[in-house]
């Protein structure tokens, strides 16, 4: 009997793992990724709900923005009829209310973050789920001045490409100018030789 019970338990557990891709549907640690454009994406599961927060690195003492998405963990279907309240706590522990506006994406919201000081900040997102309030924290949001860029306002790599192109064009211009100068000298010399030949002939 115990053996049969153990087999049934293993089968049920295996089914759950395969159904959910081996992931935990309970509260989870945030998963953080950054794409090539610098956009930070943070996902976190709370029960059956998955939250996705997307934003570009924040700059201090100026307004910033972010996007928030709610979906069901099981099938990624957008969670509707949610009215989240969002706050951001700055490096000094001061809490700032974030303006939340529903966007055109189902389950999506636009977040307008007020100016905050430099340092690490934390998001606190509260929403009602299954009749109770859930609070989710997204910590370690970096609020730092933008990195130095080239005089053209682009990355150093792009600036180097522009500089290389400029140097190539400048070199081509120099070669062309030298060729024109050589041609002008040749014409001038030919003209002088012609005049000298004319003078000799007349003599």
């Amino acid at each position: 009997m115990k053996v049969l019970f153990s087999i049934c338990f293993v089968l049920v557990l295996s089914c759950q793992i395969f159904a959910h891709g081996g992931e935990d549907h309970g509260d989870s640690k945030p998963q953080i990724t950054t794409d090539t454009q610098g956009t930070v994406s943070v996902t976190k599961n709370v029960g059956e709900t998955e939250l996705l927060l997307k934003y570009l690195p924040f700059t201090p003492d100026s307004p910033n923005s972010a996007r928030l998405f709610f979906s069901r963990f099981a099938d990624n279907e957008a969670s509707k009829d949610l009215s989240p309240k969002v706050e951001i706590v700055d490096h000094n522990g001061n809490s700032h209310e974030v303006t939340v506006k529903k966007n055109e994406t189902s389950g999506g919201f636009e977040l307008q973050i007020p100016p905050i000081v430099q340092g690490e900040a934390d998001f606190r997102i509260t929403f009602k789920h299954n009749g109770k309030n859930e609070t989710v924290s997204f910590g370690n949001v970096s609020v730092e001045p933008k990195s130095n860029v080239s005089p053209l306002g682009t990355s150093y790599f792009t600036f180097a490409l522009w500089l290389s192109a400029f140097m190539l064009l400048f070199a081509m211009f120099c070669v062309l100018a030298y060729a024109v100068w050589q041609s002008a000298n040749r014409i001038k010399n030919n003209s002088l030789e012609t005049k000298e030949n004319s003078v000799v002939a007349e003599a």
Side-chain angles (χ1 to χ4, degrees), residues 14-35:
S14 300
C15 290
Q16 290 181 341
I17 290 174
F18 283 113
H20 304 322
E23 297 179 1
D24 183 9
H25 274 210
D27 296 357
S28 65
K29 293 182 179 180
Q31 302 296 317
I32 304 174
T33 59
T34 304
D35 64 18

Side-chain angles (χ1 to χ4, degrees), residues 24-30 44-49 134-136:
D24 183 9
H25 274 210
D27 296 357
S28 65
K29 293 182 179 180
K44 187 172 183 178
N45 304 328
V46 180
E48 298 176 352
T49 303
E134 300 278 6
T135 300
V136 181

Side-chain angles (χ1 to χ4, degrees), residues 149-166:
V149 295
S150 71
L152 295 180
T154 56
S155 67
Y156 285 114
F157 178 74
T158 305
F159 176 67
L161 290 179
W162 278 104
L163 182 61
S164 299
F166 173 77

Side-chain angles (χ1 to χ4, degrees), residues 25-200:
H25 274 210
D27 296 357
S28 65
K29 293 182 179 180
Q31 302 296 317
I32 304 174
T33 59
T34 304
D35 64 18
T36 55
Q37 303 301 318
T39 301
V40 180
S41 299
V42 189
T43 57
K44 187 172 183 178
N45 304 328
V46 180
E48 298 176 352
T49 303
E50 182 175 81
L51 288 77
L52 169 60
L53 182 67
K54 302 185 75 171
Y55 60 90
L56 287 171
F58 290 172
T59 54
D61 304 317
S62 64
N64 293 281
S65 61
R67 286 189 173 187
L68 177 64
F69 303 90
F70 289 88
S71 61
R72 286 208 305 253
F73 181 84
D75 54 13
N76 289 327
E77 184 176 343
S79 299
K80 303 176 182 178
D81 303 324
L82 291 176
S83 299
K85 178 183 178 182
V86 183
E87 296 176 317
I88 191 166
V89 182
D90 65 25
H91 182 71
N92 297 324
N94 299 315
S95 180
H96 306 267
E97 185 173 355
V98 175
T99 302
V100 181
K101 183 179 179 181
K102 200 166 187 177
N103 62 23
E104 69 282 357
T105 305
S106 182
F109 298 86
E110 300 289 338
L111 307 182
Q112 297 298 323
I113 297 95
I116 55 178
V117 297
Q118 181 175 342
E120 298 290 335
D122 297 327
F123 273 105
R124 290 179 183 171
I125 302 170
T126 303
F127 62 99
K128 184 169 287 188
H129 177 66
N130 290 337
K132 66 176 182 178
N133 289 328
E134 300 278 6
T135 300
V136 181
S137 295
F138 290 87
N140 302 321
V141 178
S142 180
V143 185
E144 299 292 339
K146 290 183 179 179
S147 58
N148 293 328
V149 295
S150 71
L152 295 180
T154 56
S155 67
Y156 285 114
F157 178 74
T158 305
F159 176 67
L161 290 179
W162 278 104
L163 182 61
S164 299
F166 173 77
M167 294 300 294
L168 178 61
L169 290 174
F170 182 75
M172 293 174 63
F173 173 79
C174 290
V175 170
L176 180 61
Y178 179 77
V180 171
W181 179 73
Q182 286 284 77
S183 178
N185 278 344
R186 195 176 297 111
I187 293 173
K188 183 178 178 180
N189 292 335
N190 289 339
S191 178
L192 290 175
E193 289 177 3
T194 301
K195 287 183 179 180
E196 289 176 358
N197 292 334
S198 298
V199 170
V200 171

